[in-house]
Amino acid sequence: MDACKWRGALSDDGPSAEAFVTAMAAQTSTTSTPPAKVMVGNYSGFEFDHSVEGSVDIKACDGGKLCIHSETRSDCSRWYSTQNEHETYRVVDLNGQRAVVAVAHIDETINPELMREARAVFDSIVFKADKTS
């Protein structure tokens, strides 16, 4: 859908990691890098970057924000409100359930050391199968 004109147009993309990646890449008003296959602990998934398309007037969007994704069909859960926002996503298939982890870069004034620390935390997240019986 159009991340700018999202009111009344939010849809369920299903629980798979592939469905999430496909839906994010298909959004207008945003852009995604091609997804790279990754392993996150014992689980496979995808990593990609997502950002605002250059010419979008965010103030003219529904609610004054770009709706990136939502947990419900009636309201936006994650949005961008400035042109500079971008994120790196890892989307993992946990035996039929989707896990989404992201690290966001909202503003160029953020201390680069804090961004390095956030990326280190992001890179440290893993999912491992429960081996208890």
Side-chain angles (χ1 to χ4, degrees), residues 115-125:
M115 288 309 303
R116 282 190 289 281
E117 186 175 327
R119 182 62 195 224
V121 170
F122 177 75
D123 289 339
S124 74
I125 297 170

Side-chain angles (χ1 to χ4, degrees), residues 46-72:
F46 302 93
E47 181 173 317
F48 63 95
D49 293 328
H50 197 72
S51 61
V52 179
E53 206 168 62
S55 62
V56 177
D57 178 7
I58 296 175
K59 292 189 186 321
C61 294
D62 291 346
K65 57 190 173 187
L66 283 177
C67 186
I68 304 308
H69 54 82
S70 183
E71 295 175 14
T72 71

